[in-house]
Amino acid sequence: MSNTPQKKAATPEVFLDLKVTKPPKNSVGFGALKSAVGMVSKYMKPIDALKISTKINQKGGFDCPGCAWPDPDDDRSILGEYCENGMKAIAEEAQKNIIGADFFAKNSVDELAELSDFEIGKSGRLAEPMFLPEGATHYQPISWDDAFNKVGVHLNGLNSPDEAVFYTSGRTTNEAAFLYQLFVREYGTANLPDCSNMCHEASGKALSETLGIGKGSVTLDDLYKAEVVMVVGQNPGTNHPRMLVALEKCKKNGGKIIAINPLEEVGFMKFTNPQNPLKMLTGGTELTDVFVPVTINGDVAFFKAILLRLLEKEEQEGHVFDKQFIEEHTSGYDAFVKDLKAFNFDECLRLSGVSIETFDKVFDLILNNNKIIICWAMGLTQHENAVDNIRELVNLLLLKGSIGKEGAGTCPVRGHSNVQGDRTVGIWEAAPKAFLDKIENKYGFKPTTKHGYSVIEAIEGMYKKEAKVFFGLGGNFISAVPDTNYSAQALANCNLTVHVSTKLNRSHLVTGKEALILPCLGRSEKDYQKTGVQVQSVENSMGIVSSTKGVLEPCSDSLISEVAVVCGIANATLKDRSKINWLAYKDDYSLVRDDIEEVVDGFNDYNTKLKQPSGFYLPNGARIREFKTKTGKANFTTNKLPDWKLKDDELIMMTIRSHDQFNTTIYGLDDRYRGIFNERRIIMMNREDMKERGLEEQQVVRLKSEYNGVVREAHKFKVIGYDIPKNCCATYFPETNVLVPLDSYAHTAKTPASKSIRITVDKV
Ligand SMILES: Nc1nc2c(c(=O)[nH]1)N[C@H]1C(S)=C(S)[C@@H](COP(=O)(O)OP(=O)(O)OC[C@H]3O[C@@H](n4cnc5c(=O)[nH]c(N)nc54)[C@H](O)[C@@H]3O)O[C@H]1N2
Ligand SMILES: Nc1nc2c(c(=O)[nH]1)N[C@H]1C(S)=C(S)[C@@H](COP(=O)(O)OP(=O)(O)OC[C@H]3O[C@@H](n4cnc5c(=O)[nH]c(N)nc54)[C@H](O)[C@@H]3O)O[C@H]1N2
Ligand SMILES: [Mo]
């Protein structure tokens, strides 16, 4: 009997054995070492673990497949650029277990769907290509050539290339990503949704409009030299642990750190550097000077309160704003001031949920310093007004002239290790015309200038059967996207779903009529090709491009690289009608880099520069006060306050990451820094809110979200009383993605609003 696509897509509603303790007082240190070593020794061969630990994030080594935090230019520790969650990412990728034909013969798709995400991930590395024929219950082995041809036949059978969707996740290297988008464009569509659409798209939109570049402006050195660093809507202790080392350096140099977050994330309140044995014994550094417990989505209100007070001071005393900078480099100041004056300070502060005492501390630091960096992540980008969030913080930086100078600027902290690079080399459903013109000049075909599907549009397209083939280069689409049930139906409507993956995941189980799993090499593995072991390249959060080269033997002889997969499919699909010799690239990746150099700005002498031990910086206008916006200047903007009007029984829910996961990959079942162990089906609630609803600790509840008249439900969650502002609550992604409405997304950026979901909580 077959499961419905919805049933297979949702995470099983089974409880484990929840334990709750007080959150710890300190992060990293011994606890982190213990946790990482435990994971590495459990899942990896000892010899591989040793090889890995000396090569991760080292010059000439390989880039950690975890987050996109940059490596220091010079002083890399001999211990390896260590981080607990980086080691977990490697342990996950370089697992001892492999799964091939036998595994799939034993386990049907429906049986696998009964497993938890944790169990699915721990089944092992995918070892050979697999095919699910129409109506079959089990995946079967298929040769690489047959798999490529199958994709080719499906793609060539569509009425229009726009009936295919080509998703990318952010681990794909520059080389594979460039070839992939080139293939998609030569095939004839711009349907290139990617994980960025769900991640920093809002940052890209806001920063392009205001500062002329969709990326951040600061370097690591700026962070060391900043007077004030604001960390807004980000949990670096878990998601970017090596950022803590940079923040520690900043503090040592006298910098102050402000954390703006509904949760007092211990991960970055106090930190013990694992590379400093003395600190390990003496208890570490207090990182955060001021913690601001803002209400969920209260950030525009909080920033407006700061802006209003600054304006008041400026009008009373002068010397508060950087008037020379404003005069020379910005546009829209007068309109901005006029708009700002219409807001009321008390009302803004009330909406932000922050006390006047805390506000005053933040205000003093902002008033008295001019080298300010603002770092942010998903806490700002995953709201309906996400673009406004970021535009408002840019307003603050502009008033203080805190952009394009040492120790100051924007720092959107990127997620996947190469998500920024993928966009740079052309993974973009809305690529600019100048880029498309260069493709045309170089290759002699005309890429479509029509914008393609972003993630949300792709789901709608598949749901309406306007798109019929889904191809994913990495990632776990069904678990990452909003509205799990609707999206499962969308995928099930396809004729063919294809995933290029390292690990088994839920997306392999929610299939179209036919499905393919194409297993590929991971970052840590050697990529043998005709011209030897290949080097690839990635771009980190600060726009530095560097090389990455695997160090381990591939876990199976049947694996090929992402580059080889893309070349194989391009060749099988486009055949003689292609203007490109696809198979040549896979023998020698330096040829791909030669092409990137011709098509993408900033890659001059790519192959030569990549040999530099620390890589090279891409050009960045905002860093040097060259603002490539429509006005040629940095733009002030005017932004509204969000209008929540919660009903009496409603809460705002944010879906966040636990300490033991990388997006949809569940490393373990604990959230150590929040004191939550052995359970993920939990909801963190304000204790007052619990009382009002008569809810006890660990009470089992049902969550309901109602949006535009559609009701979505998630069952079986346990309540945990937590220090979180009133009317706010938190759950883990992906368990509650069933509640995220597909039509609730950031205006203009279309980032799903997975940090501001209106829900009600009912006893069951
Ligand atoms: N170990 C590990 N590393 C990762 C990842 C992972 O899953 N695991 N994921 C990678 C990816 S793709 C990304 S994008 C990043 C994600 O990195 P983060 O953005 O740090 O991840 P989230 O858990 O989504 O955390 C969001 C934080 O924002 C806060 N927040 C939520 N809503 C609001 C709000 O309205 N205002 C403010 N001020 N704060 C808010 C939450 O309390 C939480 O601390 O990490 C990357 N690195
Ligand atoms: N509710 C909610 N939803 C969210 C978020 C949230 O905060 N809340 N965050 C969003 C964000 S920021 C992001 S970035 C997306 C993430 O969305 P995705 O990038 O689609 O998801 P991941 O979980 O990172 O993908 C994991 C899978 O990638 C494959 N993989 C790992 N390494 C490689 C590799 O080297 N090559 C290939 N080909 N495959 C590999 C493995 O098979 C693994 O199962 O999710 C988004 N969804
Ligand atoms: Mo992300």
Side-chain angles (χ1 to χ4, degrees):
M1 207 188 66
S2 176
N3 267 327
T4 62
Q6 284 77 3
K7 181 130 190 289
K8 286 189 272 193
T11 51
E13 294 174 348
V14 178
F15 283 132
L16 302 168
D17 185 16
L18 171 64
K19 297 254 175 334
V20 182
T21 63
K22 267 202 156 144
K25 296 219 158 9
N26 206 338
S27 76
V28 192
F30 286 121
L33 272 177
K34 199 171 132 215
S35 166
V37 169
M39 200 81 80
V40 166
S41 52
K42 191 160 165 195
Y43 297 111
M44 283 175 75
K45 294 184 200 149
I47 179 75
D48 287 353
L50 189 70
K51 274 192 209 154
I52 283 288
S53 60
T54 53
K55 286 287 185 189
I56 181 169
N57 290 333
Q58 292 300 304
K59 296 169 185 171
F62 76 101
D63 180 66
C64 176
C67 74
W69 190 254
D71 307 312
D73 285 344
D74 41 22
D75 55 347
R76 295 190 194 175
S77 134
I78 38 164
L79 243 178
E81 267 297 301
Y82 166 83
C83 127
E84 174 192 354
N85 278 343
M87 288 313 280
K88 288 188 198 160
I90 307 284
E92 190 77 23
E93 180 178 296
Q95 290 191 25
K96 300 184 266 208
N97 289 348
I98 56 168
I99 55 179
D102 287 355
F103 174 88
F104 287 102
K106 269 193 223 121
N107 298 286
S108 71
V109 170
D110 285 359
E111 282 162 352
L112 291 171
E114 301 285 327
L115 301 179
S116 70
D117 291 347
F118 174 66
E119 291 163 324
I120 290 177
K122 294 293 184 231
S123 6
R125 275 287 300 279
L126 294 161
E128 59 183 302
M130 301 300 299
F131 172 56
L132 185 72
E134 185 166 359
T137 53
H138 292 68
Y139 273 97
Q140 310 164 359
I142 184 172
S143 71
W144 276 108
D145 280 345
D146 288 350
F148 292 158
N149 286 332
K150 193 155 275 304
V151 177
V153 166
H154 272 277
L155 290 179
N156 288 327
L158 296 175
N159 291 325
S160 145
D162 289 336
E163 290 181 353
V165 170
F166 297 91
Y167 175 69
T168 319
S169 167
R171 274 197 191 169
T172 296
T173 58
N174 283 357
E175 289 76 2
F178 178 79
L179 290 180
Y180 184 54
Q181 61 83 37
L182 185 63
F183 157 60
V184 170
R185 295 187 200 285
E186 192 181 25
Y187 168 66
T189 180
N191 285 344
L192 283 161
D194 75 333
C195 68
S196 235
N197 297 150
M198 298 181 273
C199 188
H200 267 294
E201 197 68 61
S203 307
K205 277 270 186 269
L207 292 174
S208 303
E209 177 193 349
T210 54
L211 302 174
I213 181 165
K215 309 177 184 183
S217 73
V218 304
T219 65
L220 266 186
D221 199 53
D222 288 321
L223 266 178
Y224 305 153
K225 292 176 176 154
E227 293 164 346
V228 175
V229 178
M230 302 174 97
V231 181
V232 196
Q234 194 202 342
N235 180 18
T238 286
N239 298 313
H240 305 91
R242 290 180 308 131
M243 178 174 169
L244 304 186
V245 181
L247 293 177
E248 191 187 37
K249 275 199 187 174
C250 169
K251 288 224 67 166
K252 241 191 231 151
N253 294 339
K256 300 283 182 205
I257 292 164
I258 302 170
I260 305 182
N261 199 310
L263 301 180
E264 191 168 355
E265 304 280 27
V266 288
F268 69 111
M269 303 307 284
K270 190 166 181 185
F271 162 61
T272 308
N273 189 335
Q275 285 153 19
N276 184 338
L278 194 64
K279 277 278 171 65
M280 296 261 273
L281 297 174
T282 55
T285 312
E286 294 281 351
L287 277 185
T288 303
D289 295 275
V290 190
F291 167 60
V292 184
V294 72
T295 188
I296 295 176
N297 202 218
D299 302 272
V300 169
F302 186 69
F303 275 96
K304 269 204 196 299
I306 301 177
L307 296 171
L308 278 163
R309 228 352 108 72
L310 283 176
L311 180 63
E312 198 182 303
K313 275 266 179 201
E314 170 67 29
E315 290 186 341
Q316 285 162 4
E317 302 169 12
H319 313 298
V320 171
F321 293 170
D322 184 338
K323 287 201 218 58
Q324 193 184 343
F325 173 81
I326 294 172
E327 184 70 24
E328 276 175 35
H329 295 289
T330 72
S331 164
Y333 174 79
D334 292 339
F336 161 75
V337 169
K338 182 163 176 252
D339 179 77
L340 183 62
K341 284 185 168 169
F343 292 89
N344 173 280
F345 173 83
D346 292 332
E347 176 65 0
C348 288
L349 199 60
R350 187 186 66 76
L351 287 173
S352 76
V354 180
S355 71
I356 187 72
E357 293 75 21
T358 303
F359 173 85
D360 283 342
K361 285 187 203 153
V362 173
F363 183 71
D364 275 354
L365 288 174
I366 301 293
L367 181 69
N368 297 315
N369 291 288
N370 295 311
K371 287 184 181 178
I372 302 168
I373 289 179
I374 307 185
C375 304
W376 71 92
M378 300 302 100
L380 288 192
T381 63
Q382 298 178 333
H383 300 279
E384 291 190 359
N385 71 336
V387 176
D388 288 1
N389 270 338
I390 294 141
R391 299 194 321 173
E392 202 70 322
L393 68 84
V394 169
N395 281 337
L396 172 60
L397 293 174
L398 295 183
L399 288 181
K400 299 289 290 181
S402 249
I403 185 94
K405 71 178 183 196
E406 192 180 79
T410 52
C411 184
V413 183
R414 304 300 299 248
H416 267 298
S417 53
N418 197 40
V419 61
Q420 187 157 315
D422 289 349
R423 183 56 65 83
T424 303
V425 301
I427 302 291
W428 198 351
E429 77 283 359
K433 186 164 177 307
F435 173 80
L436 300 175
D437 287 347
K438 283 198 173 173
I439 296 250
E440 184 177 353
N441 282 344
K442 160 99 188 117
Y443 299 102
F445 70 87
K446 200 168 176 45
T448 176
T449 49
K450 195 170 82 178
H451 286 182
Y453 289 142
S454 66
V455 163
I456 287 179
E457 292 151 350
I459 295 166
E460 277 162 355
M462 292 186 285
Y463 192 88
K464 292 188 205 139
K465 303 189 180 173
E466 286 162 9
K468 296 173 181 152
V469 173
F470 175 90
F471 188 102
L473 187 59
N476 181 4
F477 192 78
I478 189 59
S479 297
V481 298
D483 222 338
T484 314
N485 291 335
Y486 184 94
S487 299
Q489 189 57 53
L491 285 168
N493 286 349
C494 289
N495 295 334
L496 176 72
T497 48
V498 187
H499 292 92
V500 183
S501 315
T502 50
K503 302 273 311 293
L504 186 70
N505 65 44
R506 212 163 271 288
S507 295
H508 304 130
L509 311 175
V510 182
T511 64
K513 291 191 188 76
E514 295 184 321
L516 281 165
I517 303 177
L518 306 181
C520 67
L521 294 169
R523 237 355 125 67
S524 55
E525 289 165 320
K526 288 184 184 163
D527 184 353
Y528 292 100
Q529 302 294 348
K530 271 196 189 141
T531 54
V533 176
Q534 301 296 305
V535 169
Q536 301 195 60
S537 48
V538 289
E539 175 184 341
N540 65 34
S541 229
M542 290 174 183
I544 303 167
V545 179
S546 60
S547 66
T548 174
K549 189 174 172 183
V551 295
L552 300 180
E553 291 306 318
C555 71
S556 150
D557 291 341
S558 307
L559 298 186
I560 65 173
S561 68
E562 288 186 350
V563 166
V565 174
V566 172
C567 292
I569 285 173
N571 189 53
T573 307
L574 301 172
K575 298 199 177 103
D576 294 345
R577 71 177 194 270
S578 180
K579 299 202 179 292
I580 295 164
N581 177 3
W582 285 100
L583 298 183
Y585 291 120
K586 83 176 172 57
D587 295 340
D588 180 0
Y589 298 2
S590 71
L591 301 176
V592 188
R593 289 187 287 273
D594 286 341
D595 281 23
I596 295 177
E597 178 171 341
E598 280 184 61
V599 173
V600 188
D601 291 338
F603 284 86
N604 317 351
D605 298 324
Y606 194 178
N607 276 304
T608 314
K609 282 205 242 160
L610 201 62
K611 297 198 176 97
Q612 292 168 190
S614 302
F616 61 95
Y617 278 95
L618 288 175
N620 186 311
R623 199 171 276 162
I624 51 172
R625 297 190 168 178
E626 275 176 16
F627 301 109
K628 295 183 177 146
T629 59
K630 281 190 187 139
T631 59
K633 303 227 164 165
N635 293 316
F636 281 98
T637 53
T638 58
N639 302 297
K640 295 195 197 93
L641 289 170
D643 180 14
W644 270 91
K645 293 204 187 83
L646 284 178
K647 289 189 200 137
D648 268 359
D649 58 345
E650 277 180 339
L651 300 173
I652 314 180
M653 179 178 82
M654 55 181 178
T655 55
I656 56 177
R657 290 156 173 80
S658 87
H659 191 62
D660 268 1
Q661 73 184 87
F662 191 97
N663 298 340
T664 70
T665 300
I666 311 302
Y667 298 145
L669 300 165
D670 300 337
D671 196 358
R672 198 173 75 244
Y673 292 161
R674 299 195 184 105
I676 300 169
F677 296 90
N678 208 29
E679 186 55 87
R680 294 179 50 84
R681 300 192 71 83
I682 55 98
I683 172 166
M684 292 169 242
M685 283 182 72
N686 174 290
R687 293 181 185 87
E688 272 296 298
D689 289 330
M690 282 170 63
K691 223 164 144 197
E692 283 171 14
R693 289 163 180 74
L695 299 174
E696 307 284 332
E697 285 291 335
Q698 303 211 12
Q699 180 135 16
V700 179
V701 291
R702 181 178 58 228
L703 315 179
K704 217 183 326 170
S705 87
E706 191 176 340
Y707 190 83
N708 279 347
V710 179
V711 177
R712 296 169 178 84
E713 286 192 12
H715 309 104
K716 288 187 90 169
F717 287 80
K718 285 188 179 169
V719 174
I720 296 178
Y722 206 83
D723 291 339
I724 184 167
K726 183 101 186 24
N727 299 327
C728 297
C729 62
T731 53
Y732 296 130
F733 136 65
E735 280 76 0
T736 42
N737 281 36
V738 281
L739 296 174
V740 187
L742 193 70
D743 50 350
S744 172
Y745 49 73
H747 304 306
T748 73
K750 292 217 159 179
T751 318
S754 45
K755 297 281 188 278
S756 37
I757 307 150
R758 241 169 233 276
I759 64 153
T760 53
V761 180
D762 297 314
K763 291 183 197 168
V764 290

